[in-house]
Amino acid sequence: SATGTHYTMTNGGSINSSTHLLDLLDEPIPGVGTYDDFHTIDWVREKCKDRERHRRINSKKKESAWEMTKSLYDAWSGWLVVTLTGLASGALAGLIDIAADWMTDLKEGICLSALWFNHEQCCWGSNEATFEERDKCPLWKTWAELIIGQAEGPGSYIMNYIMYIFWALSFAFLAVSLVKVFAPYACGSGIPEIKTILSGFIIRGYLGKWTLMIKTITLVLAVASGLSLGKEGPLVHVACCCGNIFSYLFPKYSTNEAKKREVLSAASAAGVSVAFGAPIGGVLFSLEEVSYYFPLKTLWRSFFAALVAAFVLRSINPFGNSRLVLFYVEYHTPWYLFELLPFILLGVFGGLWGAFFIRANIAWCRRRKSTKFGKYPVLEVIIVAAITAVIAFPNPYTRLNTSELIKELFTDCGPLESSSLCDYRNDMNASKIVDDIPDRPAGTGVYSAIWQLCLALIFKIIMTVFTFGIKVPSGLFIPSMAIGAIAGRIVGIAVEQLAYYHHDWFIFKEWCEVGADCITPGLYAMVGAAACLGGVTRMTVSLVVIVFELTGGLEYIVPLMAAVMTSKWVGDAFGREGIYEAHIRLNGYPFLDAKEEFTHTTLAADVMRPRRSDPPLAVLTQDNMTVEDIENLINETSYNGFPVIMSKESQRLVGFALRRDLTIAIESARKKQEGIVGSSRVCFAQHTPSLPAESPRPLKLRSILDMSPFTVTDHTPMEIVVDIFRKLGLRQCLVTHNGIVLGIITKKNILEHLEQLKQHVEPLAPPWHYNKKRYPPSYGPDGKPRPRLNNVQLKPIAEEREETEEEVHLLNSTTL
């Protein structure tokens, strides 16, 4: 038949098909082609819509000057939206940085001359601050001085301790209350959800204005409360919220979900750019870690968005050091070949920490979901904040803001440093101030600092496991970097002392002469920070570039690469997924990870629905059903779409109709078209069949029919099906045999199948039929010919088993 011929030509050719969604509509039905909440977009359909829109604009642009202007506006709207996103991201990041610094210092005291100054700014203008005690100035008052009038002594210490805990609990309580009441989506880091959204999933409100506003406020509160979390991950969420909100100003992006995701990819690059002051690292982060679809045009726009965001943040200068981050450092000494060994050991530590953290944190989050504890998020945050504050205050390294701690650990010991980490015994002439101070023996301050750092390391490791995932904005980058920096600094000091006392050893003899500066402990802290962050997130290229942009040292790329790759290899030995993929799996989001390889030997027929025990496949016929029949089918089932077949007898595929489009089209027809009733015949065919004169007016729905749905045969290997779903971003794929519909495979079916295969790993040897045949044998195991219907064998799976009535029922049933 003509329809069958048309189907044969277009089947599977959705990308090049000339049949478009709205081609045949006299008047587009509002709402058709949109998506419900928690549904996956159809990338192929969205790309087709965009190409159609582009062709329409190009064909009209020569008609008038107005049409030409509209065409130019459409072409420039992409650059405009990423510019606005970059400006907003940079401004919000600057605001968050300044507010978080001020509120962190508020836990310890207040500046009487200007309440809005933090501790450092307060003492800048003081003439009475000495170099040795640069943090002490009359303008800055601790809470003990204000409340009980004592600056020193046990009474002062206890009062400051109590006020520190009070402010920490107040900030944490306010943050979790705002999240719970106004924007539940504002909690967590947001990166797992953004990865899922960029892969085509829709979570309404996740990138909305309320989420943006509450996340910005609560991020400041959460960081200031002293919890073991960072602001870097949530800044990516904040930037993506800006990108999403601005995309609604431009019809090109507001009406097309696939195009909107290009803006979100650029926004995530801007987020990392302002989080770390690393524009190129941000672009690579978007490409390597979060983006699902990343064409060349998006690469340029991401680069531009990251540039604009970094420029705005640099103009605001939130840290007063003309840098984009607090812990920017520069090292002046080269690294030596023998140092690769400790760098690789730090990489091993990073990989082990990453594997431990992922397992422990996921186990805790799973427990939170499955027990009563998860029902009291406010109580959980208060308990975690209280434990953190009580344990953190006595140790100066845990009391510090985490970014300040990383800055202190990264910084090299120069002649102007007053930190106890730089309390070395001076063997040199004190009047000779040089940049490269030779390696010296450690003093008592260094040993006590190492002891405190060891305690801080244990504290950070334990608290980060319980903090990541609570109901406040919480990033993972900074706590992971802090853990690595602490471990790295300890290793660096150990190697430095070893080189000083044993400079005649074989490994040190060539480089570390007496009086030479050959070991930089700060460099070890930086390498350790990169290794631990790599172990948790499994980032490689983007992470090395981010840390390199932080330090501005090209010559340290090799140590960084060695440590990051080692941490990834060690981490992958315990489990291939990073923390974000683990949280995606824990939350059950429909995300097909492109990094995972499909190594099993199943076929499409093993995965398709309906299964043997399921009811038969729900389908529509092209001209035999009434409006009432379709409405009943929609009400009785929960499927997102229905294959349309020629007739119950033929069962050849015509197209695919989405549930949402059917519902909207029928509602619209009942309101706008006269004579459409429950008994009206619904026609998906090109020509309406001849009806009796007294029958009601038919309803033509060919315009909402996808004439070229993707199909595979029942013997297509699942590795090919999974590749098609990944690379084309499909929602569903129909399974046919000689043009007859057998079933359907959705993204959810594939994810369930992958999960089953993980739990029951197949033997490595493939089954006999994998390399031999892709079709069932003509004769059954009993030697008799297999039954056929309409010249199609009824054996959909190429495994030897007896025929069952359900398979015959699948093709025979009149209720199909």
Side-chain angles (χ1 to χ4, degrees):
S1 74
T3 319
T5 315
H6 179 75
Y7 159 71
T8 314
M9 288 175 356
T10 59
N11 176 34
S14 196
I15 289 178
N16 299 316
S17 165
S18 59
T19 308
H20 292 287
L21 185 71
L22 304 175
D23 271 1
L24 302 154
L25 277 179
D26 302 324
E27 186 183 328
I29 302 167
V32 165
T34 57
Y35 301 94
D36 284 322
D37 200 4
F38 299 113
H39 280 61
T40 305
I41 70 166
D42 189 332
W43 286 86
V44 175
R45 185 165 82 153
E46 295 297 298
K47 296 301 286 179
C48 285
K49 268 168 60 178
D50 185 59
R51 274 199 298 273
E52 187 64 27
R53 181 197 60 77
H54 192 65
R55 272 199 292 269
R56 199 163 53 241
I57 288 170
N58 271 358
S59 64
K60 285 184 178 178
K61 72 178 180 184
K62 292 179 183 173
E63 291 176 8
S64 65
W66 173 242
E67 291 295 339
M68 177 61 86
T69 310
K70 276 165 70 176
S71 163
L72 288 170
Y73 173 73
D74 181 77
W76 275 94
S77 59
W79 293 102
L80 206 52
V81 73
V82 296
T83 305
L84 291 170
T85 303
L87 289 169
S89 304
L92 284 172
L95 185 72
I96 288 166
D97 287 338
I98 292 166
D101 273 2
W102 177 73
M103 291 181 79
T104 302
D105 286 346
L106 188 64
K107 288 186 298 187
E108 295 179 5
I110 200 162
C111 188
L112 293 179
S113 60
L115 296 177
W116 57 91
F117 278 176
N118 64 19
H119 193 168
E120 190 181 3
Q121 292 164 341
C122 192
C123 293
W124 273 348
S126 173
N127 295 324
E128 295 162 52
T130 60
F131 177 72
E132 286 76 20
E133 296 185 328
R134 64 187 79 173
D135 287 340
K136 293 186 179 173
C137 59
L139 297 174
W140 179 263
K141 297 287 184 192
T142 62
W143 292 111
E145 286 177 87
L146 287 172
I147 296 167
I148 59 173
Q150 288 181 12
E152 303 290 336
S156 160
Y157 183 84
I158 291 165
M159 179 49 67
N160 282 332
Y161 201 162
I162 291 166
M163 289 307 292
Y164 182 91
I165 295 168
F166 166 75
W167 283 112
L169 290 178
S170 303
F171 294 154
F173 175 72
L174 191 54
V176 71
S177 303
L178 286 170
V179 166
K180 192 179 179 202
V181 175
F182 294 105
Y185 283 151
C187 66
S189 85
I191 292 178
E193 286 76 10
I194 284 162
K195 280 189 78 160
T196 312
I197 288 168
L198 286 174
S199 77
F201 195 55
I202 288 181
I203 309 177
R204 299 234 183 271
Y206 198 83
L207 301 174
K209 53 185 182 295
W210 272 105
T211 307
L212 172 65
M213 194 163 69
I214 297 300
K215 188 124 190 175
T216 306
I217 296 165
T218 54
L219 182 54
V220 173
L221 291 165
V223 170
S225 69
L227 287 162
S228 182
L229 48 81
K231 59 179 179 288
E232 277 60 21
L235 275 174
V236 176
H237 187 183
V238 166
C240 285
C241 287
C242 296
N244 181 59
I245 290 163
F246 286 125
S247 70
Y248 281 104
L249 303 176
F250 304 91
K252 177 179 178 179
Y253 295 100
S254 61
T255 58
N256 193 299
E257 292 292 342
K259 294 295 285 180
K260 191 184 289 178
R261 274 146 184 76
E262 293 179 20
V263 175
L264 297 181
S265 288
S268 61
V272 173
S273 170
V274 291
F276 288 107
I280 299 169
V283 176
L284 289 172
F285 172 82
S286 180
L287 173 61
E288 182 185 356
E289 191 61 24
V290 294
S291 293
Y292 192 83
Y293 173 69
F294 204 83
L296 194 59
K297 196 187 290 182
T298 305
L299 179 73
W300 300 332
R301 286 180 181 160
S302 300
F303 186 73
F304 187 67
L307 162 77
V308 172
F311 172 75
V312 171
L313 188 63
R314 172 67 185 77
S315 307
I316 294 170
N317 193 13
F319 302 111
N321 60 358
S322 300
R323 303 290 179 193
L324 300 180
V325 279
L326 188 61
F327 40 85
Y328 182 90
V329 284
E330 280 179 343
Y331 302 122
H332 302 291
T333 51
W335 62 278
Y336 301 104
L337 200 60
F338 73 86
E339 291 184 280
L340 269 180
L341 184 62
F343 291 151
I344 287 169
L345 286 175
L346 284 172
V348 171
F349 170 76
L352 292 171
W353 146 252
F356 163 75
F357 175 78
I358 291 166
R359 292 199 175 183
N361 181 253
I362 292 297
W364 175 247
C365 289
R366 191 172 280 121
R367 187 169 179 78
R368 183 192 289 129
K369 277 176 175 282
S370 60
T371 57
K372 282 187 177 179
F373 197 47
K375 294 177 183 172
Y376 305 104
V378 178
L379 182 65
E380 184 189 8
V381 171
I382 294 295
I383 290 169
V384 172
I387 293 169
T388 305
V390 168
I391 300 173
F393 187 82
N395 187 336
Y397 292 108
T398 49
R399 192 192 315 171
L400 271 179
N401 175 9
T402 317
S403 294
E404 292 268 7
L405 171 63
I406 294 172
K407 179 189 176 185
E408 190 157 323
L409 294 166
F410 277 15
T411 306
D412 197 13
C413 282
L416 304 177
E417 288 299 324
S418 61
S419 162
S420 59
L421 277 170
C422 296
D423 181 25
Y424 290 92
R425 294 205 299 272
N426 284 324
D427 293 349
M428 56 177 278
N429 183 359
S431 63
K432 184 184 169 192
I433 291 181
V434 289
D435 250 355
D436 294 339
I437 296 175
D439 290 344
R440 299 160 292 164
T444 52
V446 174
Y447 289 118
S448 68
I450 287 178
W451 169 240
Q452 288 171 334
L453 282 176
C454 288
L455 292 174
L457 181 65
I458 296 164
F459 166 75
K460 286 277 179 194
I461 285 173
I462 294 168
M463 290 316 298
T464 306
V465 168
F466 293 103
T467 306
F468 188 68
I470 59 175
K471 299 298 177 193
V472 292
S474 54
L476 189 61
F477 283 29
I478 289 293
S480 293
M481 287 179 76
I483 287 162
I486 292 169
R489 187 75 185 214
I490 293 167
V491 170
I493 293 170
V495 174
E496 182 189 45
Q497 294 306 301
L498 205 62
Y500 178 79
Y501 286 110
H502 302 281
H503 53 81
D504 53 345
W505 281 10
F506 166 69
I507 54 170
F508 300 129
K509 198 175 0 180
E510 198 174 329
W511 295 286
C512 292
E513 298 154 7
V514 180
D517 177 25
C518 71
I519 307 290
T520 310
L523 173 61
Y524 284 75
M526 183 187 83
V527 171
C532 280
L533 187 50
V536 170
T537 61
R538 306 294 158 83
M539 296 192 304
T540 50
V541 183
S542 52
L543 177 58
V544 170
V545 173
I546 286 169
V547 180
F548 145 63
E549 286 187 85
L550 278 180
T551 55
L554 261 173
E555 60 186 309
Y556 304 116
I557 279 192
V558 173
L560 286 171
M561 288 171 77
V564 168
M565 278 316 300
T566 308
S567 78
K568 180 173 169 56
W569 286 332
V570 171
D572 282 353
F574 292 93
R576 293 189 69 85
E577 59 185 10
I579 186 67
Y580 300 131
E581 289 80 15
H583 271 271
I584 284 170
R585 203 152 62 85
L586 178 72
N587 293 325
Y589 296 135
F591 180 76
L592 269 177
D593 194 356
K595 295 171 192 166
E596 277 187 36
E597 289 180 17
F598 188 89
T599 55
H600 304 279
T601 55
T602 46
L603 302 177
D606 302 330
V607 182
M608 72 175 191
R609 299 292 186 270
R611 308 305 305 143
R612 288 169 150 241
S613 55
D614 295 344
L617 187 67
V619 296
L620 308 173
T621 53
Q622 70 172 3
D623 52 18
N624 291 337
M625 297 180 82
T626 62
V627 170
E628 197 174 357
D629 292 339
I630 291 178
E631 285 179 329
N632 288 340
L633 185 65
I634 289 170
N635 293 333
E636 288 164 11
T637 61
S638 57
Y639 307 127
N640 287 326
F642 306 94
V644 178
I645 57 173
M646 289 186 70
S647 65
K648 293 286 163 79
E649 294 74 36
S650 155
Q651 294 186 1
R652 288 196 177 273
L653 182 63
V654 175
F656 192 81
L658 290 171
R659 176 197 192 88
R660 181 180 169 85
D661 292 354
L662 282 168
T663 310
I664 291 169
I666 290 171
E667 278 178 16
S668 173
R670 281 185 184 274
K671 286 177 189 170
K672 294 181 181 175
Q673 294 182 30
E674 287 180 20
I676 300 295
V677 291
S679 57
S680 296
R681 188 77 66 88
V682 176
C683 179
F684 292 101
Q686 201 161 359
H687 305 290
T688 313
S690 53
L691 299 170
E694 67 278 1
S695 60
R697 178 181 172 181
L699 173 59
K700 295 181 183 177
L701 290 185
R702 187 177 176 81
S703 58
I704 66 161
L705 186 67
D706 181 2
M707 299 292 291
S708 48
F710 269 85
T711 62
V712 293
T713 67
D714 48 340
H715 297 295
T716 307
M718 270 311 290
E719 59 189 315
I720 293 175
V721 177
V722 171
D723 254 5
I724 291 171
F725 268 82
R726 274 184 191 145
K727 289 173 181 169
L728 296 177
L730 300 186
R731 295 177 80 184
Q732 70 277 316
C733 180
L734 297 171
V735 182
T736 63
H737 192 110
N738 289 358
I740 291 176
V741 188
L742 294 181
I744 187 169
I745 297 175
T746 63
K747 201 172 183 181
K748 187 179 175 185
N749 300 147
I750 288 180
L751 289 164
E752 284 171 356
H753 182 62
L754 290 172
E755 199 59 40
Q756 283 169 3
L757 291 175
K758 271 182 192 168
Q759 290 165 5
H760 312 288
V761 180
E762 289 183 347
L764 289 174
W768 65 271
H769 62 73
Y770 189 69
N771 291 321
K772 286 187 180 179
K773 293 182 178 179
R774 290 284 185 226
Y775 51 86
S778 303
Y779 293 88
D782 54 0
K784 294 178 183 176
R786 293 183 183 275
R788 289 173 174 264
L789 178 73
N790 291 345
N791 212 29
V792 176
Q793 283 179 209
L794 295 181
K795 183 73 173 170
I797 300 175
E799 289 174 9
E800 287 300 333
R801 65 173 190 225
E802 291 186 8
E803 294 293 337
T804 60
E805 288 180 10
E806 285 92 332
E807 285 171 327
V808 181
H809 181 67
L810 176 67
L811 292 170
N812 246 351
S813 170
T814 52
T815 59
L816 251 175

